[in-house]
């Protein structure tokens, strides 16, 4: 494994340093045990297997400023096995950033040292705890470091062997080697055990090695309790170029606690009557109190530019032009990319459907092809956006974000500002059929805390949705449609999050009709047809479904006999209609009729499908007539 020439320059740390690292490992064990005893919950044995790994990473290998954990130049660390949070907190105690006494408030309601790490803590970039997601985020950080920041910071990710059964881990493994992320190191803590039984490969280190190598990683198998082997492997990782490094560490769960490295101890604090014996046993092993100071990083980066990002000019459309909102997304993002180098785009091999290819053509160095691995794409986009290094936009068919929903959920906990753009919503995609139709995405994204849901209906509003999303904190979702539709706003129209547009209005409107995307155009067609018969309706474009402009909707309802009809290319559950229902719930006497897709749709022509599922202009006209027929 070792190349002679490279080994020649390896300066083996002195014995004192090794002893210092061993001592810190045991101190980390002691902190982890005390903290989990104090909270009477947590995972001390999962911490103990990783004690030497954490000690060597934090006090020998990683370069960072202990009093400035979010410094952009620092090496990054991602604790993918998030349940080992106490040992991460312990490392920051030893580094001097967290107060030792705070460890005893682990998991308490008024303490940010929660059960699993979140970015409420300055030294955490992404929340972990849903297993299998850390490596994808680490890939985003490493890609950003290597290709966007062009900085020397490195990214380290600690995984459990149990979590390696997650497919998302292997999506990330493939991504990292494809993009030659030689600034990325994954450390696998192979402690043999999972939660309820052994992990499938147990201590079969050769199979781990083969798998990592097959995925294109420079791979070392080491004794994960031997600080010297860890120092050497992590040093070698820094020398290896053109590929990421995996360090497969053979460890014991509960190492350092006699009798606790067996099954059945996962997620349990050490019993009160045993803890003192364990602590004094560990304390006795500690020989030095020499503090080890991590090295500072190279100062090769400036802080992120947080100034707002604006489109370089007015949207390039005139009313009446025909353009799909999906194409308008690509046009808008490419234009936004002219204004700021920080704007980056990701896609999962759908770039000529979502039109992120227009961004790629304009800014090839800022486009990341993630291939058909949507979970990883979302994690990478989250990783790219950490420490505000980039403003990332990830696109695919809206339907396929459903398979990354756990990543989206974790993005909210991560306080991420990632932007997700889903095209091909609803039955209006037509011939491709139900597998490609997103009919649950509004429900999905509305349920996410921190999420702003944009549903633009023409080229101009899509441009403003993209611009607003880039500057909006929290997760943003932009829902785009496949069919070409008319541009309805003039280029200088102003848009705000949570501000609806009233598009048709008269003194004697019979009903308020609310549509978005293709159904807004159906509503406008219905209004035109009804107007010929002398019937006026009010038509509203919500622009954002979350937050929803309740004030405009309620005042319109009051002016239109308290009658509302919603029409959406989405299932009823959790969609636009239900959002409107909850917006008007305090308003007496409002009747909301919801036109929405139901059941499993089928292939057909878009217009045929809008008719079949009851959301076309014809159906709106019928629904309006029915409201005043009775
Ligand atoms: C996606 C997901 N599934 C299940 C769990 C519950 N869980 C928490 S820890 C754990 C076992 C983890 O085993 P491993 O990765 O080997 O870590 P260890 O504790 O052994 O270091 C499980 C199943 C989870 N947190 N996330
Ligand atoms: C996308 O591009 C490929 C390769 O050029 C082409 O074969 C395919 O038809 C395109 N798909 C769409 C939806 O335009």
């Amino acid at each position: 494994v070792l190349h002679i020439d490279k080994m020649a320059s390896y300066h083996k740390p002195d014995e004192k340093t090794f002893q210092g690292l061993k001592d810190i490992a045991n101190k980390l064990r002691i902190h982890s045990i005390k903290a989990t005893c104090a909270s009477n919950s947590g995972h001390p044995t999962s911490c103990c297997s990783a004690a030497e790994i954490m000690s060597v990473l934090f006090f020998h290998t990683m370069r960072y400023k202990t009093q400035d954990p979010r410094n952009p130049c620092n090496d990054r660390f991602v604790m993918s096995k998030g349940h080992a949070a106490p040992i991460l907190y312990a490392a920051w105690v030893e580094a001097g950033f967290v107060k030792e006494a705070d460890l005893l408030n682990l998991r308490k309601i008024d303490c940010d040292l929660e059960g699993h790490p979140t970015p409420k803590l300055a030294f955490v970039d992404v929340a972990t705890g849903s297993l299998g997601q850390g490596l994808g985020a680490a890939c985003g950080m490493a890609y950003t470091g290597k290709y966007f920041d062009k900085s020397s910071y490195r990214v380290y990710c600690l995984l459990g062997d149990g979590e390696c059964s997650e497919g998302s881990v292997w999506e990330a493994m493939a991504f990292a080697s494809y993009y030659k992320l030689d600034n990325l190191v994954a450390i696998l803590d192979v402690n043999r055990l999972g939660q309820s039984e052994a992990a499938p490969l147990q201590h079969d280190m050769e199979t781990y090695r083969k798998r990592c190598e097959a995925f294109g990683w420079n791979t070392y198998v080491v004794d994960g309790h031997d600080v010297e082997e860890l120092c050497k492997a992590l040093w070698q990782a820094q020398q290896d170029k053109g590929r990421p490094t995996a360090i497969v560490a053979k460890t014991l769960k509960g190492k350092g606690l006699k009798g606790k490295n067996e099954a059945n101890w996962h997620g349990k604090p050490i019993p009160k009557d045993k803890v003192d014996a364990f602590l004094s046993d560990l304390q006795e092993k500690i020989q030095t109190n020499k503090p080890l100071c991590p090295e500072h990083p190279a100062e090769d980066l400036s802080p992120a530019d947080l100034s707002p990002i604006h489109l370089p000019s007015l949207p390039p459309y005139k009313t009446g032009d025909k353009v799909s909102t999906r194409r308008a997304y690509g046009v808008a993002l490419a234009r936004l990319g002219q204004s700021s180098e920080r704007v980056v785009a990701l896609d999962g091999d759908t770039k000529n459907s979502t039109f992120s290819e227009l961004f790629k053509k304009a800014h090839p160095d800022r486009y990341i092809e993630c291939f058909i691995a949507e979970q990883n794409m979302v994690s990478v986009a989250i990783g790219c956006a950490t420490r505000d290094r980039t403003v990332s936009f990830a696109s695919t068919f809206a339907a396929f974000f459903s398979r990354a929903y756990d990543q989206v959920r974790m993005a909210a906990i991560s306080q991420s500002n990632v932007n997700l753009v889903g095209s091909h919503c609803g039955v209006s995609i037509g011939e491709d059929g139900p597998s490609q139709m997103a009919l649950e995405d509004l429900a999905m994204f509305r349920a996410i805390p921190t999420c702003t849901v944009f549903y633009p209906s023409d080229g101009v509003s899509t441009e403003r949705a993209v611009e607003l999303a880039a500057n909006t904190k929290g997760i943003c979702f932009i829902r785009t449609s496949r069919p070409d539709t008319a541009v309805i706003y003039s280029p200088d129209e102003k848009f705000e999050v949570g501000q609806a547009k009233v598009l048709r209005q008269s003194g004697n409107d019979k009903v308020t009709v609310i549509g978005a995307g293709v159904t807004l155009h159906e509503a406008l067609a219905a209004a035109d047809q009804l107007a010929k018969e002398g019937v006026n309706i009010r038509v509203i474009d919500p622009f954002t479904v979350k937050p929803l402009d309740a004030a405009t909707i309620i005042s319109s309802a009051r002016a239109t006999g308290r009658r509302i009809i919603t029409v959406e290319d989405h299932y009823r559950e959790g969609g636009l209609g239900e959002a409107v229902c909850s917006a008007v719930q305090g308003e007496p006497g409002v009747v909301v009729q919801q036109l929405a897709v139901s059941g499993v749709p089928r292939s057909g022509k878009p217009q045929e499908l809008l008719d079949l599922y009851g959301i076309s202009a014809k159906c709106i006209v019928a629904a309006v007539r029915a409201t005043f027929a009775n």
Side-chain angles (χ1 to χ4, degrees), residues 326 351-353 355 357 397 424 482:
R326 61 176 174 138
K351 58 185 170 293
N352 61 348
S353 295
F355 284 103
E357 69 173 6
F397 287 22
H424 290 65
R482 185 170 183 275

Side-chain angles (χ1 to χ4, degrees), residues 104-118:
L104 301 182
N105 295 322
L106 177 72
R107 294 174 167 234
K108 292 198 179 141
I109 189 95
D110 52 358
C111 177
D112 286 342
L113 301 176
E114 295 194 70
H116 295 78
T118 80

Side-chain angles (χ1 to χ4, degrees), residues 295-525:
E295 238 181 83
H296 273 193
E299 301 279 343
D300 57 7
L301 261 189
S302 32
D305 173 7
L306 297 177
S307 48
I309 303 171
H310 295 296
L311 289 169
S313 56
L314 288 178
Y317 305 105
K318 55 182 194 308
T319 51
D321 285 355
K322 289 264 186 168
V323 65
S324 63
T325 52
R326 61 176 174 138
R327 179 186 288 278
Y329 163 67
V331 172
L333 195 67
R335 280 163 33 75
L336 200 68
Q338 292 169 24
S339 303
S340 171
E341 289 284 319
R342 292 166 64 222
V343 175
V344 304
L346 303 88
D347 201 298
D349 194 27
T350 54
K351 58 185 170 293
N352 61 348
S353 295
T354 62
F355 284 103
S356 64
E357 69 173 6
L358 298 177
F359 182 91
K360 181 183 176 178
K361 278 185 194 131
H363 315 286
D365 298 343
R366 281 186 272 143
Y367 172 84
I368 310 176
E369 179 54 64
C370 294
F371 301 103
I372 307 162
E374 293 79 12
Q375 295 182 54
N376 187 59
M377 176 178 74
V378 171
S379 289
V380 170
I382 293 165
C384 289
T386 56
R387 301 195 193 188
D388 292 313
R389 300 312 304 170
T390 75
V391 174
S392 65
F393 283 79
S395 52
T396 181
F397 287 22
F400 305 141
F401 280 118
S402 56
R403 68 192 297 153
Y405 195 42
D406 194 21
Q407 279 76 4
V408 174
R409 189 181 67 85
M410 291 300 289
I413 304 173
S414 295
Q415 301 174 16
S416 177
N417 297 325
V418 73
N419 304 298
L420 305 174
V421 182
S423 70
H424 290 65
C425 67
V427 297
S428 57
I429 69 160
E431 291 79 354
D432 271 350
S435 67
Q436 316 298 296
M437 297 170 176
L439 290 159
E440 315 81 1
D441 55 312
L442 289 176
M444 200 165 88
F445 284 100
R446 279 184 63 219
I448 296 290
T450 87
C451 188
T452 302
V453 179
F454 294 89
Y455 193 173
S457 298
D458 82 336
V460 172
S461 52
T462 303
E463 288 250 332
R464 295 304 174 194
V466 169
E467 182 183 49
L468 286 164
N471 299 298
T472 299
K473 295 273 175 230
I475 297 161
C476 289
F477 174 62
I478 304 177
R479 185 178 213 229
T480 68
S481 305
R482 185 170 183 275
D484 285 338
T485 45
V487 171
I488 52 183
Y489 296 106
S490 70
D492 56 0
E493 182 79 28
K494 304 261 186 295
F495 287 85
E496 295 293 343
V497 169
Q499 219 172 77
K501 300 285 178 188
V502 180
L503 293 174
R504 292 281 199 279
Q505 186 167 17
S506 78
N508 64 340
D509 292 331
K510 295 280 181 215
V511 53
T512 295
V513 176
I514 306 172
V518 294
T519 62
L520 180 69
H521 295 272
E522 296 299 314
L524 292 171

Side-chain angles (χ1 to χ4, degrees), residues 43 45-50 80-84 116 128-133 159-166 168 189-199 208 251 253 266-267 406 409:
H43 302 75
T45 60
S46 303
C47 294
C48 287
S49 62
S80 189
K81 46 173 262 184
H83 55 285
H116 295 78
T128 51
S130 180
L131 292 168
Q133 299 193 23
L159 296 90
D161 50 349
E163 79 169 304
C164 290
S165 290
E166 291 285 1
S168 51
D189 177 7
V190 184
N191 63 21
R192 195 178 73 83
L193 299 173
Q195 171 171 315
S196 64
E197 64 169 282
Y208 279 109
T251 59
K253 200 153 173 171
H266 177 90
D406 194 21
R409 189 181 67 85

